[in-house]
Amino acid sequence: MITVLGATGNTGGRVAQRLAEAGVEVRGVSRRGPVQADATDREAMARAFDGAEAAYVLLPLSLFEVGYHAHQDRMGEAITESLRAAGVPYVVALSSLGAELPSGTGFLTSLHRQEQRLATLDADVLFLRPGLFFESFLPGLEGIRATGVHHDTIDPEVRLPMVATRDIGDVAAAALRGRRDTGVREVIGQEITIPQAVAALGATYQRIPDAALQAAFLQAGLPADITELHLEMNAFFNSDRIAWRGTDPRTPTTVEQWAQALDAPV
């Protein structure tokens, strides 16, 4: 049996689907899924991993949680200690490019901390480090389509590695079935600019000042530290310090294919 955290989310849902299609017994865990559990609840996490032969783990985004990194740390500690207590022998963990750096990366800093925790397990661990999700544009999709413009603070000429979450799920599911790969696996589809990505959504891109984005986020009700972490992450992207080896196989979905699928009949 394989435990999948975030089983109703973008990557976890795809992992659970692919494993089930292959005839693998799946215990899908999420805040609203088949097995309901909060990732900060150590008892619930212990039950989730009990008897599992392998697990897919992640840190769910909590963008309206005050004290983002502290909350991520609580989840990371509960997940790690529950994996340790259950003796799960193989773990695939969703991380990110940039997680090799201990600070200065905004939201990604919590993933560095989690990689450090999971590396202490007496288990074979594979860290998946994808680029920017295409799905990161979805929270603003309504506004993008209404105005025809996407606003952010990433410099328009910066090329970033991006990927569809369904492709991340496919890579994770294959690893969980094989249980051979360990270490770090980069998961990248394309290296494109933000203007190229939003063009696939039929929009243009406008780079705005940090203060303008900060004001918009605060007006939307996001905590101050979330705004600061977003700006720090974008500054990291703009600094050209995000690095990748580029030696792992590229994933197949292009941003154009992903965008077209948004409007495809279900």
Side-chain angles (χ1 to χ4, degrees), residues 67 90 101 111 125 151 168 171 177 190 236-237 255 262:
Y90 186 78
L101 299 175
L111 297 174
V125 182
H151 302 93
I168 300 170
V171 170
R177 291 180 62 197
Q190 293 175 283
F236 168 60
F237 293 156
V255 68
L262 294 177

Side-chain angles (χ1 to χ4, degrees), residues 2 19 24 54 90 92 124 171-181:
I2 296 178
L19 291 175
V24 177
Y90 186 78
V92 175
D124 291 329
V171 170
L176 287 162
R177 291 180 62 197
R179 301 179 204 171
R180 294 184 301 273
D181 296 338

